[in-house]
Amino acid sequence: MQQQAYSVLVIDDEESIRRLLEKELSNERRAITTAADAVSALTTMRSHWFDVILMDLRLPDVSGLDLLIQTRELAPHTEVIMVTGHGDIDIAVEAMKLGAYDFIRKPFHLDRLDLLVERAHHRVQLARENDRLRHNADNSLQSVRFIGNSQIISEIQFLIKKVAPAKIPVLITGESGVGKDVVARAIHQGSPLSVSPMVVKNCASLQKELARSELFGHVKGAFTGADVSQEGLLSFAHGSTLFLDEIGELPLEVQASLLRVLETGSYRRVGEKEERTVDIRFVFATNRHLQEEVEQGRFNEALFHRINAFNIHVPSLRRRKEDIPLLVDYFLATLGTDQIRYRVVDSAMDCILNYNWPGNIRELRNVIERSIILAENGMITERCLPGELIESAETEGSALSLESIEKQHILKLLNAHGGNRQKTAEVLGISRKTLYRKLQQYSIS
Ligand SMILES: Nc1ncnc2c1ncn2[C@@H]1O[C@H](COP(=O)(O)OP(=O)(O)OP(=O)(O)O)[C@@H](O)[C@H]1O
Ligand SMILES: [Mg+2]
């Protein structure tokens, strides 16, 4: 795991110790903040994110154990190291039971303390990594490839490259199956945040009543059933990318709070008064027409303008058919068996190119996956394609070349007349000779 920058809060009433630790523990990855008592420590903790807290057991205002309990409540993701004096061993053990990471006795060796802080941070990092992975789609670890050589796709690739390192929110729009997830992952991968997994949430899967809590977290007793305090997705995504898919489905009540996070970088857990700050890169996706949703009063207008500031629209596959051959090759190479070289015969490729792909790339992928199974010796023929592709090739003449329409029409009539060429020529209104020429031209025997 790559080492990340993190912050440490030192709580001690002795100024000399605060100064010593501030100086000795800080390094290029570690930022140190200090507090002299519990009250100021809690205030700082509410507005700042700390990974590790070094807490003196004996404080002027409240006992270290009380402060520990409040810290666990306020910032459950933080590891606490207790600093104890002589004869405090019982309390130190008590602190461990209450969830402290470890304790260190005064006077301490700075080296040991340094190591302890480092280890505590490692644990924080692991725990957050797990939280993120739990909220990430299965294929998150695969590196994404955004395939396509059409002009439109090159432009999108250019936009991704430009916007990825910037921290601004991005809205990805487009029909279902066009590759919005792929774009979101590519943005995360191209950003400095890619050392952490991206946190993904599909807003359509949020339960209406719990949406706010799931996003922002809640404190114990905030509502019936809130038996323990809980962190929300924003907390898991701190320092990384939060991909909110199907943003159009987010309940209206929660949209205003999300807008606040985007504007101020701060939020409140449900039932909590104090705000906390987070550092998150937001990516949104939707297949809805959000402008219309705004007009219908179903989407917060200010939020729409905020997230629409950088929009990447992924066009449907039927508008960029020139990408199809490359995508087909890509899927054949990635979905097929290594030992077999697959080939799509021309007539099958015609069907693929002529179809209008309502399910976009997802549908193309499924069709190729199916055709691989049906292929013989790696040859993908029309027989390996689903019926709707063949039918549409027959009916959707508009997308076909004049020649292929003619060929299909001749074939159809020949079939209808049991192969009788004279009849077929009559129906077509051409001479037998012309028909023979055409049969030769189209290699129909
Ligand atoms: N340009 C691309 N290159 C390679 N694979 C792609 C590309 N675009 C999409 N895919 C693949 O197509 C499938 C559908 O893509 P994706 O899930 O990103 O669509 P989506 O727009 O998010 O759809 P939905 O609106 O239903 O969530 C996935 O298997 C994805 O890997
Ligand atoms: Mg998607």
Side-chain angles (χ1 to χ4, degrees):
M1 198 184 331
Q2 194 160 335
Q3 288 298 327
Q4 294 168 5
Y6 64 102
S7 56
V8 179
L9 175 64
V10 172
I11 313 169
D12 203 304
D13 55 337
E14 276 180 57
E15 206 199 329
S16 58
I17 299 221
R18 289 200 303 274
R19 254 202 256 131
L20 173 80
L21 294 182
E22 189 166 15
K23 180 161 169 278
E24 296 297 328
L25 288 182
S26 73
N27 61 32
E28 66 276 8
R29 286 197 304 110
R30 210 193 264 154
I32 312 287
T33 306
T34 61
D37 50 43
V39 171
S40 56
L42 286 167
T43 312
T44 320
M45 254 182 248
R46 287 189 172 114
S47 54
H48 288 83
W49 193 279
F50 294 105
D51 296 279
V52 180
I53 295 181
L54 264 176
M55 188 185 289
D56 193 359
L57 196 56
R58 297 185 182 276
L59 290 169
D61 41 359
V62 299
S63 88
L65 283 190
D66 281 342
L67 181 57
L68 172 65
I69 293 168
Q70 291 186 59
T71 304
R72 301 294 299 162
E73 181 74 7
L74 191 67
H77 52 270
T78 305
E79 291 294 351
V80 181
I81 299 167
M82 306 299 294
V83 181
T84 65
H86 276 306
D88 283 339
I89 191 75
D90 288 350
I91 313 180
V93 170
E94 190 60 26
M96 299 289 287
K97 282 190 201 148
L98 288 170
Y101 174 70
D102 208 342
F103 61 92
I104 187 164
R105 210 163 319 146
K106 272 185 199 169
F108 42 72
H109 283 296
L110 274 169
D111 287 352
R112 256 212 75 209
L113 186 59
D114 196 277
L115 191 66
L116 206 54
V117 170
E118 197 61 20
R119 281 208 200 122
H121 170 245
H122 192 66
R123 178 138 112 191
V124 173
Q125 218 183 331
L126 272 179
R128 304 216 16 247
E129 205 92 0
N130 287 340
D131 283 332
R132 286 176 181 149
L133 288 174
R134 254 189 290 129
H135 288 92
N136 203 335
D138 301 335
N139 55 351
S140 62
L141 295 175
Q142 289 167 13
S143 73
V144 284
R145 293 206 44 208
F146 192 61
I147 306 289
N149 52 0
S150 59
Q151 177 72 22
I152 289 175
I153 291 302
S154 315
E155 270 161 34
I156 292 178
Q157 280 162 338
F158 173 78
L159 288 178
I160 293 174
K161 214 172 111 196
K162 284 287 183 196
V163 82
K167 264 209 164 164
I168 62 165
V170 180
L171 174 65
I172 307 162
T173 51
E175 285 176 19
S176 183
V178 287
K180 298 187 293 295
D181 279 58
V182 181
V183 172
R185 286 180 196 289
I187 291 174
H188 176 66
Q189 261 177 29
S191 79
L193 305 170
S194 64
V195 289
S196 309
M198 171 168 87
V199 174
V200 182
K201 190 71 198 178
N202 187 325
C203 296
S205 75
L206 289 169
Q207 267 184 287
K208 202 163 180 247
E209 309 77 53
L210 292 177
R212 180 182 297 277
S213 155
E214 205 169 320
L215 225 56
F216 302 110
H218 64 255
V219 290
K220 189 170 152 184
F223 47 88
T224 354
D227 300 332
V228 286
S229 297
Q230 227 159 49
E231 292 294 318
L233 289 166
L234 289 185
S235 137
F236 302 144
H238 176 63
S240 187
T241 306
L242 177 57
F243 173 33
L244 291 177
D245 203 356
E246 300 201 34
I247 184 67
E249 312 299 316
L250 189 70
L252 253 179
E253 312 84 82
V254 187
Q255 291 176 13
S257 313
L258 181 64
L259 174 64
R260 227 186 116 60
V261 183
L262 285 163
E263 279 174 345
T264 64
S266 56
Y267 72 101
R268 287 194 194 98
R269 287 196 289 182
V270 180
E272 196 168 49
K273 279 203 288 301
E274 293 79 11
E275 297 215 310
R276 323 188 196 182
T277 49
V278 271
D279 185 18
I280 296 174
R281 170 16 140 23
F282 284 93
V283 176
F284 305 95
T286 183
N287 50 29
R288 289 202 185 202
H289 200 293
L290 283 189
Q291 178 74 58
E292 264 167 32
E293 297 290 299
V294 168
E295 279 152 25
Q296 303 288 324
R298 285 193 295 258
F299 200 82
N300 182 311
E301 183 166 12
L303 179 63
F304 169 65
H305 291 304
R306 181 89 198 177
I307 65 179
N308 197 40
F310 200 102
N311 173 218
I312 296 183
H313 180 73
V314 190
S316 57
L317 187 56
R318 67 185 121 5
R319 284 198 41 216
R320 46 173 165 123
K321 286 195 166 171
E322 57 274 41
D323 285 333
I324 290 179
L326 205 65
L327 281 162
V328 168
D329 281 348
Y330 172 70
F331 290 135
L332 287 176
T334 50
L335 304 173
T337 326
D338 283 347
Q339 294 79 26
I340 304 176
R341 250 187 81 78
Y342 295 91
R343 204 177 80 76
V344 182
V345 304
D346 287 352
S347 54
M349 197 56 168
D350 281 347
C351 291
I352 292 176
L353 285 169
N354 290 326
Y355 186 56
N356 81 339
W357 298 106
N360 292 295
I361 302 185
R362 180 174 299 118
E363 188 182 9
L364 176 63
R365 190 194 138 106
N366 292 343
V367 165
I368 298 300
E369 199 164 23
R370 172 183 191 274
S371 69
I372 286 172
I373 298 169
L374 296 175
E376 279 177 45
N377 301 320
M379 289 288 266
I380 293 173
T381 59
E382 282 155 287
R383 274 183 56 204
C384 309
L385 300 176
E388 59 267 26
L389 263 76
I390 312 292
E391 278 160 30
S392 91
E394 281 168 2
T395 53
E396 281 202 14
S398 58
L400 300 176
S401 70
L402 208 52
E403 288 192 342
S404 59
I405 296 172
E406 192 173 65
K407 176 182 170 186
Q408 277 173 26
H409 195 53
I410 294 174
L411 273 170
K412 228 193 231 168
L413 288 178
L414 268 176
N415 268 336
H417 296 102
N420 187 321
R421 294 176 183 187
Q422 180 61 45
K423 278 250 173 67
T424 304
E426 275 169 26
V427 176
L428 284 169
I430 54 175
S431 67
R432 261 184 72 160
K433 219 170 128 195
T434 313
L435 179 62
Y436 273 114
R437 197 168 38 76
K438 293 209 181 274
L439 294 180
Q440 257 179 347
Q441 179 188 340
Y442 299 133
S443 330
I444 305 172
S445 52

